[in-house]
Amino acid sequence: MKLLITAGPTREAIDPVRYLTNRSSGKMGYAIAAAAAHAGHQVLLISGPTSLDVPEGIDFLPVESAEEMYQAVANYLPRMEAAVFAAAVADYTPAVSAKQKIKKSGETLSLDLVKTKDILGSARDEMAFTGFLVGFAAETENVESNARIKLEKKGCDLVVANDVSRSDIGFDSHENEALLVFPDRTELFGKAPKHDLAIHLVSMLGG
Ligand code: CTP
């Protein structure tokens, strides 16, 4: 099947030399891309900046900001049969990106941030996507109920939920433990290498 995957962090420019980002390594999304290609799927990986090697046998589209990722997804999603949104997209971006490097001046500096577009949340309505839709939920409390709210709000077929308050799994770790939240049930995928979770998730695509 034709599968689109988003991965990695986004990078939101403050000025020509500074940006806002987050701790996402991209490992989960890249592992899913590799597992899907291995299973014979046609994969497009749209990724923010990471230090990972691009898996073999996939199409790769690098992006930087949340806005660039949104545009890339909007462009390619209509021709896909499944989509996995593993990227840690910035929720806010600087209202203006200064053209010149911001000089040191006062004792404090305030940045005005504005909300980015919710890419996953736009898939069903704005982008009219009807394929199998997988989202991720990074939570620090009430993991299952928060993930179920996201599943319903964003029209997903599956939300993969992590407890990011744990340092042994999730962000920048090789291992993950996840709750797989479907519309009609929840499954626990116990702590295992991200590669194993990736293979399991690929086997779930399509229901
Ligand atoms: N996501 C996205 N575009 C955004 C923000 C998030 O596509 N601008 C996607 C992520 O790739 C992930 C899912 O939405 O699949 C959940 O992201 P998360 O940040 O956990 O949830 P939010 O909806 O942003 O809610 P909150 O931060 O309040 O928990």
Side-chain angles (χ1 to χ4, degrees), residues 6 66 69 84-91 116-121 134-139 146 150 153-154 156 159:
T6 70
M69 187 174 279
V84 177
F85 288 76
V89 183
D91 287 328
T116 56
K117 292 177 192 151
D118 185 344
I119 308 172
L120 174 59
V134 183
F136 275 70
E139 306 292 348
N146 283 336
K150 261 169 213 172
K153 205 172 83 187
K154 302 191 186 192
C156 296
V159 166

Side-chain angles (χ1 to χ4, degrees), residues 175-195:
E175 294 197 302
N176 213 342
E177 178 180 295
L179 273 186
L180 308 185
V181 179
F182 296 89
D184 58 346
R185 66 185 194 281
T186 300
E187 271 176 31
L188 173 67
F189 190 87
K191 188 172 162 182
K194 284 181 175 174
H195 174 73

Side-chain angles (χ1 to χ4, degrees), residues 54-73:
V54 177
E56 273 177 38
I58 67 160
D59 291 323
F60 182 70
L61 180 51
V63 295
E64 290 225 341
S65 65
E67 179 60 27
E68 273 177 46
M69 187 174 279
Y70 179 95
Q71 295 302 339
V73 170

